[in-house]
Amino acid sequence: MEYRTKFGSLDSHDRGRVEPIDDDPRRYAFSNLFEVAASSKPYEKVAVAKNLQYAIEAIRAEGTSQWRVADHDETALVMDGEVTVELLDLADPNAVASGTEGSIGLDGDPKGTPMGHAVAGRGHMVLLPAHRAYRFAAEKPSVILLQTIQGRDTVERWATICQTMI
Amino acid sequence: MATKIATRETDERFGYQSFSIGEFTFSRDEYFAYIHWPTGQHVMSVDAFLRALQRDVAWDFFYGIVNFDNVLGTMNHYGKVDLFAGRFNEAYRKAELDHQETFVTEQIRPLFKSMLSDWTNEGFDPFASPAETGTAFGSKHGNNDEAVTRRRVTAERMVAVPGDEALRTDDNGHPINRQFADVAQDEPELHPAPGYENEVCGFNLFAYLSRSQVTWNPSVVAVCKESLYCPTTEEYILPIMHGNDRVEWFIQLSDEITWDVEDRETGAKRAKVVMRAGDVAAMPADIRHQGYSPKRSMLLVWENASGDIPEMIAQGKIPTVPVTF
Ligand SMILES: [Fe+2]
């Protein structure tokens, strides 16, 4: 028997659902990350999962992002398309204050030493090391799932993205 | 706290050891596991019992509650473990037939390990899908210690970072699973500048998961402080009902899983959750859940491993749901 593994994409995703028996579907914060990215602006950081300070963001990658940096490791998992991740060893060691949660945007082209880049396709995960600046580029609309801490640019719109009714 | 030392003896008829800890006793024959406690007794298919026991042992009692079924289970207090019968079953509670004893983890862990080793026969792998392993039944014949003592993957930063967890390959005993034969095996292109080879890191998570030999075994592949990505490959039924002591999140990476969700305390049905590729859902901290995966699927389980959470939830200092809107 030949098995077909079904992944989702921006163009093709088939959302499941909560079928409540004795519960409120909102308690499950049920969304679909492709649906979220399909209706997001490029590089908008929309939280699809949150556990106290920690967050997972669904990001629509399209064109080139700004440079960002965090005080902690993050990971980027490409769920659809192809994304180039550029890394920069920042000249300013204090670009992000110690203890900052989540990433912060950096203006323009920050000074530093280019560290190289990774080209990641569907299913590929790339490390975004603490204190290193990064930016994304995607020729076609792509989707990144970002493991991080909720930060100043994290967008929350649960009522829009989640199942609210039976 | 129970202090009675665990003991064991061998049953001459079937060749298996019987075990006791506190006032609980465990024994097995060709088909069943038998559990006795002062106010009752319980019987489970030994096949289902060993699959559940394997998870409890491999995860070191996991987060919160590992229900072997709707009667028997363990609750982790991270240093101590409750072993219970009927505690999360409304009928047992009402009849006051439920029973619970608390053991230090160092006491119950070796007993569970010994039981798993002694009761698992040659050819049966409790971590494998039923279609990929032999039978748990019959009189004692051999063992499968290699399978039941597998090392659990726990990355410190991310799989494939130099010095961290390695990739899976044919050569290190991880062939592509039959149900993931169509999963692309390409790796990201890495172009580090000289001197940055240890920092420009990436790997193909989907290919990595396609080479998992086990089912329903979340293992840590990426870390952001206490945020742990614990993806796993799922086929057939989760052998336990996991009772949460914190919010847990699922991101369905491929294919489809249906979850049965029940009240954590009583077992009353709360919801079914059907998850397809790209779906994201939280499991609240006051429920228990069991998943059904008709085709082998990839599930990203996401945990906040903070040791403070169970107490905060129990005291009502933080809600049982992740967000309100
Ligand atoms: Fe769980």
Side-chain angles (χ1 to χ4, degrees), chain B residues 59 62-63 218 238 240-244 248 250 259 283 289 301 303:
Chain B
W59 305 339
F62 207 39
Y63 298 106
L238 173 60
I240 62 153
M241 288 184 268
H242 180 211
N244 291 92
E248 175 181 48
F250 295 149
W259 293 96
M283 291 290 125
H289 51 274
V301 175
E303 300 285 355

Side-chain angles (χ1 to χ4, degrees), chain A residues 13-158:
Chain A
H13 47 270
D14 179 16
R15 180 173 162 151
R17 62 191 301 272
V18 179
E19 294 173 13
I21 296 161
D22 180 20
D23 215 339
D24 179 344
R26 286 175 296 189
R27 285 171 22 94
Y28 299 83
F30 191 104
S31 70
N32 179 284
L33 65 96
F34 298 111
E35 209 173 284
V36 170
S39 60
S40 293
K41 290 186 230 110
Y43 298 109
E44 210 176 6
K45 293 159 67 66
V46 183
V48 290
K50 181 176 154 175
N51 199 333
L52 303 179
Q53 72 270 42
Y54 297 102
I56 300 177
E57 298 165 347
I59 298 174
R60 178 190 182 92
E62 188 176 8
T64 303
S65 76
Q66 67 174 155
W67 287 97
R68 300 190 69 85
V69 63
D71 186 45
H72 47 78
D73 282 353
E74 300 175 290
T75 65
L77 172 63
V78 175
M79 293 295 293
D80 188 22
E82 186 177 275
V83 178
T84 299
V85 184
E86 257 186 285
L87 292 169
L88 186 70
D89 183 352
L90 288 166
D92 177 5
N94 302 314
V96 58
S98 173
T100 300
E101 298 197 327
S103 63
I104 59 165
L106 301 170
D107 289 333
D109 279 316
K111 289 198 176 65
T113 309
M115 296 169 60
H117 69 277
V119 183
R122 186 173 71 186
H124 299 176
M125 181 181 275
V126 175
L127 181 70
L128 307 174
H131 306 125
R132 305 305 201 187
Y134 61 85
R135 71 175 172 187
F136 302 122
E139 277 179 27
K140 288 184 206 151
S142 300
V143 182
I144 296 168
L145 198 66
L146 198 89
Q147 179 186 21
T148 186
I149 301 178
Q150 183 169 9
R152 58 184 71 166
D153 296 326
T154 304
V155 175
E156 291 187 273
R157 46 168 175 260
W158 302 103

Side-chain angles (χ1 to χ4, degrees), chain B residues 185-244:
Chain B
Q185 299 292 314
D186 60 320
E187 289 293 326
E189 283 177 38
L190 303 176
H191 303 278
Y196 292 107
E197 292 80 3
N198 288 346
E199 293 190 79
V200 181
C201 305
F203 75 110
N204 185 339
L205 174 66
F206 293 178
Y208 182 84
L209 293 175
S210 75
R211 294 173 176 274
S212 166
Q213 305 160 299
V214 295
T215 60
W216 309 102
N217 184 32
S219 29
V220 183
V221 309
V223 178
C224 168
K225 296 188 179 233
E226 290 163 314
S227 152
L228 308 182
Y229 269 10
C230 309
T232 149
T233 51
E234 320 296 50
E235 185 179 331
Y236 189 52
I237 304 174
L238 173 60
I240 62 153
M241 288 184 268
H242 180 211
N244 291 92

